[in-house]
């Protein structure tokens, strides 16, 4: 396959980039490991405004139909195992053969971080995203009654999705404190991050509470008086003073052991109590899935506000390697709409390199659109994402001045 | 008992799909053509897809999108295939992952170590 742009990842960023490129009459091949195009957009289902639902399956189908109309080629169920640069070409090694391209876009999205809790390898324990895909995409219940470990934006959104599908969620709790769960098991840290989802919570305590809790002292007070059995969000108890310390079962999940935790995250001895569930979701948050950028040789920077290690890139979605672009969650954890907007920027900057009629103004407008979309995002995974984006911008500028000196 | 969500308040009724049959550890099962093997098995109440190669502890799906490789099974004679990203096809022969021989461990067992 010659002279076609290759996009790895058929999620919102990849699909939007493919459409933009094809609209400029540029040939595109989209590679993805999954059965269907759409990426993690497929599982998304939430109410944006009363009675107006964001249905990820419908959105994915709409994007896929548009891409196919423009003759974008798809190679699904295709796993990429290696990337290398040979002469001017990027060589993409897959289980379906080798692809060559001059312009490669990595839109590989994000992956979920787990909490290794005793018993977490039992069948019936899964990532919260796994439960979402089972429920909304495959339409198979992950179980009858489950518990979600990890209180964050993703877990609260998926808890509601499970409930809509008539899957019982007994509670959303903290993981027990250990070296790997340090940020997610401290009630104060979790309360901090919860303040940013307050607009999604019909519970008055969280909603009104969040306005007052910007103050550190009040926040501590909030945790201290936070009811031990939790506050309910959509009828699901969110337990900031309980932690799952063990997942139990012989051949598969049969229950969890919950314990009360102190304000500092330590366990109150003797407070352990077993509750019965047949599945457990672990919600450790998302990090950019950037292995391929690493194989390609991109420099990485750790930016906490973007969700972890991200490949060095600029606002035009270029990396510092010729012909290699990035878009979507590989550049930082944000929602599908931001990814869609970023895909367009990446596509325009690739198109301009290929001599298509793209002006600097077009690219600048697309970048503006990313910023507006971010400002209006319904769900923000990291409250300080803008700070993270500014950091990357600065690092990019510094890297340029180094190259020139 | 089925675990399928036949009607969903927002997503609507499950679209009608062609049925296929496949075997898992020599048992015959029905599934919807093209759905993931992991979903087809879970819909039949099957959660254990393999055992840990050394300890024999049961394992099932974890990430459900191909990333973690926890759901690897033998499909049509090929080992290490991911159930979560493999679509079910008519006549597919699936076998759960088994304990593998470990020379050192097996030697110890027979030598009282």
């Amino acid at each position: 396959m010659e002279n076609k742009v290759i996009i790895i990842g058929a999620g919102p960023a990849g699909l939007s980039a493919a459409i933009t490129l094809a609209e400029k009459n540029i040939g595109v091949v989209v590679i993805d490991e999954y059965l269907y195009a759409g990426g993690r957009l497929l599982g998304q289902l939430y109410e944006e405004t009363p009675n107006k639902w964001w249905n990820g399956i419908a959105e994915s189908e709409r994007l896929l139909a548009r891409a196919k109309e423009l003759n974008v080629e798809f190679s699904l169920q295709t796993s990429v195992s290696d990337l290398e640069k040979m002469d001017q070409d990027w060589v993409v090694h897959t289980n379906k053969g080798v692809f060559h391209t001059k312009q490669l876009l990595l839109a590989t999205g994000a992956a979920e971080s787990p909490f290794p809790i005793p018993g977490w390898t039992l069948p019936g324990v899964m990532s919260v995203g796994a439960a979402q895909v089972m429920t909304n995409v495959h339409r198979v219940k992950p179980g009858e009654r489950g518990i979600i470990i990890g209180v964050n934006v993703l877990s609260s959104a998926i808890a509601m999705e499970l409930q809509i599908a008539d899957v019982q969620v007994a509670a959303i709790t903290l993981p027990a404190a250990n070296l790997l769960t340090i940020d997610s098991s401290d009630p104060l840290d979790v309360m901090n991050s919860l303040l940013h989802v307050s607009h999604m919570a019909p519970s008055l305590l969280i909603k009104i509470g969040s306005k007052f809790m910007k103050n550190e002292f009040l926040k501590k007070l909030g945790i201290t008086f936070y009811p031990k059995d939790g506050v309910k969000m959509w009828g699901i108890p969110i337990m900031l003073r309980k932690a799952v310390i063990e997942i139990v079962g012989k051949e598969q999940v049969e229950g969890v052991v919950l314990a009360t935790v102190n304000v500092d995250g330590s366990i109150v001895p003797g407070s352990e109590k077993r509750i019965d569930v047949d599945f457990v979701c672990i919600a450790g948050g998302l990090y950019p899935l950037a292995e391929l950028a690493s194989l390609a040789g991109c420099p990485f920077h750790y930016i906490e506000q973007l969700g972890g290690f991200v490949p060095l890139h600029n606002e035009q979605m270029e990396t510092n390697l010729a012909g290699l672009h990035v878009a979507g969650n590989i550049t930082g954890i944000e929602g599908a709409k931001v990814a869609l907007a970023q895909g367009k920027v990446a596509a325009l900057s690739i198109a301009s390199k290929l001599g298509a009629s793209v002006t600097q103004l077009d690219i600048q407008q697309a970048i503006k659109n990313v910023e507006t979309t971010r400002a209006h995002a319904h769900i923000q995974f990291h409250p300080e994402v803008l700070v993270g984006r500014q950091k990357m911008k600065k690092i990019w500028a510094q890297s340029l001045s180094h190259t020139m000196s | 008992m089925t675990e399928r969500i036949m009607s969903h308040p927002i997503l609507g009724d499950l679209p009608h799909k062609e049925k296929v049959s496949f075997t898992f550890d020599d048992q015959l099962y029905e599934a919807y053509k093209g759905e993931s093997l992991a979903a087809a098995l879970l819909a039949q109440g099957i959660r254990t897809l393999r055992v840990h190669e050394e300890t024999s502890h049961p394992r099932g799906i974890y990430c459900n999108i191909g990333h973690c490789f926890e759901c690897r099974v033998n499909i049509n004679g090929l080992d290490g295939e991911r159930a979560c990203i493999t679509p079910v096809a008519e006549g597919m022969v699936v076998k759960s992952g088994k304990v593998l021989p470990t020379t050192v461990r097996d030697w110890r067992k027979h030598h009282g170590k």
Side-chain angles (χ1 to χ4, degrees):
Chain A
M1 261 171 258
E2 289 298 312
N3 295 322
K4 282 186 177 153
V5 174
I6 293 181
I7 299 174
I8 302 177
L15 286 175
S16 125
I19 291 167
T20 309
L21 284 161
E23 281 173 345
K24 300 271 174 203
N25 289 314
I26 295 166
V28 189
V29 182
V30 181
I31 297 175
D32 196 293
E33 188 169 54
Y34 205 57
L35 313 171
Y36 323 113
R40 301 285 64 80
L41 176 58
L42 287 166
Q44 294 181 9
L45 189 66
Y46 57 83
E47 204 171 10
E48 287 187 300
T49 49
N51 296 318
K52 192 171 161 274
W53 288 77
W54 172 259
N55 175 347
I57 293 177
E59 292 297 327
S60 302
E61 279 170 358
R62 192 178 57 76
L63 290 164
L64 180 64
R66 178 67 184 145
K68 288 206 160 153
E69 197 176 276
L70 293 161
N71 297 317
V72 170
E73 284 173 48
F74 283 87
S75 182
L76 298 177
Q77 292 176 58
T78 307
S79 305
V80 176
S81 52
D82 198 10
L83 272 189
E84 58 180 334
K85 186 89 183 252
M86 280 172 79
D87 302 321
Q88 297 301 305
D89 279 7
W90 285 102
V91 184
V92 183
H93 297 267
T94 79
N95 62 333
K96 300 238 173 106
V98 181
F99 295 74
H100 293 258
T101 185
K102 295 226 177 327
Q103 299 289 336
L104 177 64
L105 172 62
L106 299 179
T108 43
E112 289 188 68
S113 314
F115 298 131
I117 292 167
W120 79 300
T121 55
L122 279 170
V125 181
M126 63 194 84
S127 75
V128 77
Q132 179 187 49
V133 170
M134 270 302 172
T135 306
N136 295 346
V137 182
H138 300 305
R139 301 281 294 267
V140 176
K141 290 186 182 185
E144 293 296 319
R145 182 174 193 256
I147 192 160
I148 299 178
I149 308 174
V151 184
N152 52 50
V153 179
L154 191 64
S155 72
S156 22
I158 296 176
M160 188 168 71
E161 294 174 14
L162 292 173
Q163 210 174 36
I164 293 167
D166 204 22
V167 176
Q168 243 193 84
V169 180
I172 308 179
T173 74
L174 298 180
N178 64 38
L179 277 175
L180 291 161
T181 62
I182 205 88
D183 286 340
S184 309
S185 58
D186 183 322
L188 205 59
D189 280 348
V190 175
M191 179 65 98
N192 250 329
S193 62
L194 259 191
L195 301 182
H196 297 275
V197 277
S198 61
H199 65 289
M200 291 172 64
S203 159
L204 277 180
L205 187 74
I206 291 183
K207 202 163 192 163
I208 299 168
S210 66
K211 281 188 188 147
F212 298 106
M213 287 194 183
K214 306 273 158 164
N215 174 301
E216 284 302 314
F217 172 74
L218 285 173
K219 242 183 275 176
K220 267 199 186 109
L221 207 66
I223 294 283
T224 312
F225 291 107
Y226 195 94
K228 288 199 173 49
D229 286 328
V231 172
K232 284 188 176 176
M233 192 144 104
W234 311 294
I236 304 167
I238 300 186
M239 300 172 163
L240 291 185
R241 295 295 302 276
K242 300 254 190 218
V244 169
I245 56 169
E246 193 186 350
I247 300 165
V248 289
K250 205 165 171 288
E251 292 299 314
Q252 57 180 40
V253 173
E254 290 165 27
V256 294
V257 179
L258 271 179
T260 303
V261 289
N262 294 310
V263 182
D264 63 356
S266 62
I267 291 160
V268 176
S271 65
E272 299 87 352
K273 197 180 125 193
R274 189 191 144 139
I275 66 165
D276 289 345
V277 289
D278 66 349
F279 78 100
V280 174
C281 292
I282 294 184
L286 299 166
Y287 68 91
L289 187 55
E291 285 103 328
L292 292 179
S294 171
L295 278 175
C298 277
F300 275 76
H301 292 274
Y302 184 82
I303 301 180
E304 205 191 328
Q305 296 89 342
L306 296 181
F309 284 97
V310 282
L312 176 65
H313 65 278
N314 64 12
E315 280 190 299
Q316 286 79 41
M317 308 319 256
E318 298 164 321
T319 68
N320 65 338
L321 305 179
L324 190 73
H325 292 73
V326 284
N329 272 353
I330 187 175
T331 71
I333 305 303
E334 300 198 62
K337 288 183 180 174
V338 173
L340 283 164
Q342 286 178 327
K344 188 166 182 185
V345 175
L348 289 177
S349 67
I350 291 171
S352 84
K353 289 191 182 76
L354 292 173
S357 60
V358 176
T359 64
Q360 275 311 304
L361 188 69
D362 293 334
I363 298 178
Q364 286 313 316
Q365 271 171 350
I367 293 172
K368 265 253 138 24
N369 185 40
V370 172
E371 287 161 4
T372 326
T373 310
R374 177 175 297 131
H376 293 108
H378 180 76
I379 292 178
Q380 206 164 61
F381 289 92
H382 204 294
E384 306 288 343
V385 69
L386 208 55
V387 175
R389 293 285 174 201
Q390 291 303 327
K391 276 190 188 168
M392 180 50 87
K393 212 172 154 177
K394 216 166 145 188
I395 296 170
W396 177 268
Q398 280 166 353
S399 77
L400 285 186
S401 64
H402 283 309
T403 343
M404 280 187 278
S405 59
Chain B
M1 185 187 69
T2 173
E3 301 265 345
R4 288 190 191 276
I5 302 161
M6 301 309 287
S7 72
H8 187 286
I10 312 299
L11 298 171
D13 288 344
L14 198 63
H16 189 76
K17 283 186 201 155
E18 199 185 319
K19 284 192 172 164
V20 291
S21 45
F22 70 100
T23 62
F24 178 69
D25 285 346
D26 303 321
Q27 280 255 23
L28 193 66
Y29 295 100
E30 261 197 346
Y32 290 121
K33 188 181 176 179
E35 73 177 335
S36 84
L37 181 58
L41 288 167
L42 185 62
Q44 325 270 350
I46 297 167
R47 284 188 163 176
T48 301
L49 304 182
R50 66 179 183 99
V51 292
H52 186 273
E53 287 80 352
E54 210 175 333
T55 64
S56 84
H57 293 158
R59 294 293 167 91
I61 63 156
Y62 182 77
C63 82
N64 202 19
I65 55 166
H67 195 62
C68 74
F69 284 73
E70 277 294 292
C71 65
R72 54 191 189 269
V73 288
N74 180 302
I75 300 176
N76 295 336
L78 216 56
D79 262 330
E81 294 289 290
R82 289 167 282 177
C84 69
I85 59 165
T86 305
V88 182
E90 177 61 40
M92 197 174 245
V93 178
V94 187
K95 295 203 185 287
S96 61
K98 304 280 191 280
V99 178
L100 295 175
T102 309
T103 333
V104 174
R105 184 198 55 209
D106 295 346
W107 180 87
R108 280 182 172 173
K109 214 187 310 181
H110 297 122
H111 289 78
K113 304 271 172 178

